[in-house]
Amino acid sequence: MREEQVLDKVFDRVESIPTFPKVAQQALELLREEDIDFKKLEKIIKSDPGIVANFLKIVNSPAFGLPHKIDSLFKAFMFLGVNQIKFIIIASVAKNYFDRDLKGYSLKTEEIWLHSITCGFIAEELAFHLDLTPTKIESIYIASILHDIGKIVLDLYLEIEEDEFYEVINEHPDWDFIQIEWVVLGVDHGLVGAHLLERWNFPKSITFAVRAHHDPDLMIQSDVASIVGLANALTNLLGIGQGIDSFYYKLPSELVKNLNLSREKLYKYLKIGFHKTLIFQREF
Ligand SMILES: [Fe+2]
Ligand SMILES: [Fe+2]
């Protein structure tokens, strides 16, 4: 079966395909303007009480280092930079998707959420290291925080049982988890996640990064995909969001060389990501 046919089969069967909130889309658009109208931004975000609640919860996490407890969006904007605001908007949207356990993948709600946020924090450090443009940084936030969203769709597609994965893992202990997913599900979560983000009209740089996040040969083809792939591998190494698949991916070591990352730098970014996640976790 061709890739498109496989995806049609998956998405046809899923009854409620997640959507990307218009509010977040509009907010991100406004944040791309040169002269940002923060009053307008507040008005846009305020129209979605769920995002407001998540936003304030996240913003008050010590990971963002604000001087005191913030109870209004506008005040929060005044303390934060544009990058941080974008990060928090995407993280608060993601919070709604990662709101239940993924039994087949052995993931609890909190684990998949923390895994995504850690990946975002580490990817951010890597993006700053490479001095990327704001457009690329935004793509990196979206792709890194939502890189595993395909797992949510697959969980809605089939009631996956851990045992089905373990059976194939035991038979082929040397296989990559992507191969295992193809045998059990007939598709993999990178491809499904990328397709979902395509439906949400995200640009190719983002969908490609999600598609490539477990494929070292693909991720090497773009800087956004490289960063997302590496940040995800490092998050797995840290053991954050340990699911059934954590030990069945390879670390893209070629990439570390290509990105000119010394051991010390890599350690530093890992440490920052880990530290931010730990203090973030305390709030949730
Ligand atoms: Fe993944
Ligand atoms: Fe992941």
Side-chain angles (χ1 to χ4, degrees), residues 115 147-148 151 178 189-190 210 213-214 232 236 245 249:
H115 174 83
H147 72 275
D148 273 335
K151 288 182 179 175
I178 293 294
H189 72 273
V210 173
H213 81 272
H214 288 298
N232 175 55
N236 281 338
D245 54 342
Y249 301 118

Side-chain angles (χ1 to χ4, degrees), residues 51-65:
I51 295 186
V52 175
N54 283 338
F55 192 99
L56 289 177
K57 209 169 168 190
I58 295 170
V59 95
N60 282 306
S61 140
F64 293 94

